[in-house]
Each structure stands twice: as C-alpha cells, then as structure tokens.
C-alpha cells in the first residue's frame, strides 16, 4: 500500500514534520514514528493506514505503486530501483 520511504518522501514534499502529519490524519505521533521507522511496506491497523493515505491524498500526494503509471500531472519523484550498496568501496 505505502512504504516507509514513500511516507518520508511525501512528508518532505509537503514540508511538514511528523507531528503535523499526525494531526492531519488524526493519528498519534508515535504511530507516525513507527510507520516511518519500519522497513518496506508499512504494516499496521487498516483504519490507521486508510487515514494516513487519505490525509496524504487530500494534501496533494499521489502514491505510485512500483511499475504503475502516474494518473495525474504534476511533479514528483520515483525511486527506479534500490540504490547500490557501498559494499566496501572507497571513494
């Protein structure tokens, strides 16, 4: 549905902090913090996830699933693939 990385990116695009996001979607600050700290797809209470996605949508955020085409215009970002690990390379 939504990944932790998408959530952090959405919040950055909106220029809001975790507290503001929590208020916008009627969730607690610790809930938002747990969501953002998770790995991969956010798991949790369905009602909480729906509130989160609806609040982001109302703020103008379009969540794009992997491989999906954006249905609306506007600027955005998308991670093409996971970034390569440093793997002991020095620069």
């Amino acid at each position: 549905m939504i990944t932790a990385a998408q959530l952090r990116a959405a919040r950055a695009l909106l220029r809001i902090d975790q507290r503001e996001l929590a208020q916008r979607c009627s969730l607690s600050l610790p809930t938002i913090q747990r969501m953002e700290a998770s790995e991969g797809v956010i798991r949790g209470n369905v009602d909480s996830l729906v509130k989160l996605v609806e609040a982001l949508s109302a703020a103008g955020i379009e969540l794009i699933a992997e491989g999906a085409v954006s249905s609306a215009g506007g600027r955005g970002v998308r991670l093409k693939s996971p970034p390569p690990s440093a793997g002991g390379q020095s620069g």
Side-chain angles (χ1 to χ4, degrees):
M1 183 176 210
I2 180 174
T3 66
Q6 282 178 305
L7 177 53
R8 291 188 299 270
R11 206 169 44 74
L13 286 169
L14 294 172
R15 297 183 179 161
I16 60 173
D17 61 16
Q18 290 176 330
R19 187 174 307 280
E20 173 68 20
L21 179 59
Q23 290 172 349
R24 289 184 183 202
C25 55
S26 301
L27 297 173
S28 70
L29 178 58
T31 297
I32 298 298
Q33 291 169 333
R34 277 191 303 275
M35 288 177 169
E36 286 195 7
S38 65
E39 292 290 325
V41 175
I42 296 172
R43 307 223 186 282
N45 180 297
V46 174
D47 291 336
S48 296
L49 291 170
V50 169
K51 285 181 181 181
L52 174 68
V53 171
E54 286 177 350
L56 292 174
S57 180
I61 296 295
E62 177 188 4
L63 298 173
I64 305 169
E66 188 168 338
V69 176
S70 174
S71 63
R75 296 178 185 261
V77 296
R78 167 181 249 156
L79 185 61
K80 290 193 260 183
S81 62
S85 66
Q89 297 177 355
S90 59

